[in-house]
């Protein structure tokens, strides 16, 4: 099973190697996970592996916390403009171990 049950999507940063990165920009584009210069994109996908949204490319040294500031799809979810019709169902176990909806 992919993702957390009840969530509409998952989001994470993806690094793509930038083979022709100019020497002067190499330090900015070199991330912690690669020896090469990279461009990084914050991608949001549903659990059927469909890309719902992505940012434009940013330097590979940027982390997820920085990228999400520029992600219009994630901001739309937070503001209630995107996926606002999604309802979450919460469950818990009772004293007998039965799963009940809260």
């Amino acid at each position: 099973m992919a993702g957390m049950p009840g969530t509409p999507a998952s989001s994470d940063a993806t690094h793509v190697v930038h083979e022709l990165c100019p020497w002067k920009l190499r330090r900015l584009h070199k991330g912690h996970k690669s020896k090469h210069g990279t461009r990084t994109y914050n991608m949001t996908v549903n659990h059927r592996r469909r890309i719902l949204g992505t940012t434009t490319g940013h330097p590979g040294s940027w982390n997820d916390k920085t990228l999400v500031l520029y992600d219009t799809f994630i901001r739309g979810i937070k503001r209630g403009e995107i996926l606002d019709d999604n309802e979450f169902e919460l469950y818990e176990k009772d004293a007998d171990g039965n799963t009940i909806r809260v």
Side-chain angles (χ1 to χ4, degrees):
M1 177 168 69
M4 180 184 265
T7 59
S10 295
S11 184
D12 196 16
T14 302
H15 293 264
V16 178
V17 174
H18 183 23
E19 294 178 356
L20 299 176
C21 183
W23 180 254
K24 291 182 179 182
L25 298 175
R26 188 173 174 143
R27 179 184 280 177
L28 180 64
H29 286 79
K30 190 173 177 184
H32 303 288
K33 298 180 181 180
S34 177
K35 296 178 183 178
H36 306 286
T38 61
R39 295 292 287 170
T40 185
Y41 302 84
N42 199 48
M43 301 183 83
T44 304
V45 298
N46 68 9
H47 302 298
R48 293 184 179 173
R49 298 185 181 113
R50 179 177 176 212
I51 298 172
L52 302 175
T54 184
T55 60
T56 58
H58 295 283
S61 59
W62 289 19
N63 64 18
D64 294 16
K65 291 184 235 178
T66 305
L67 286 174
V68 78
L69 299 174
Y70 299 94
D71 195 331
T72 55
F73 190 80
I74 296 296
R75 283 188 297 186
I77 292 173
K78 285 185 172 184
R79 292 179 185 153
E81 300 165 356
I82 300 173
L83 301 176
D84 61 338
D85 59 341
N86 190 51
E87 293 184 18
F88 296 94
E89 295 180 2
L90 299 176
Y91 295 91
E92 65 181 29
K93 300 263 183 190
D94 63 8
D96 297 328
N98 301 318
T99 303
I100 57 171
R101 189 173 168 185
V102 180

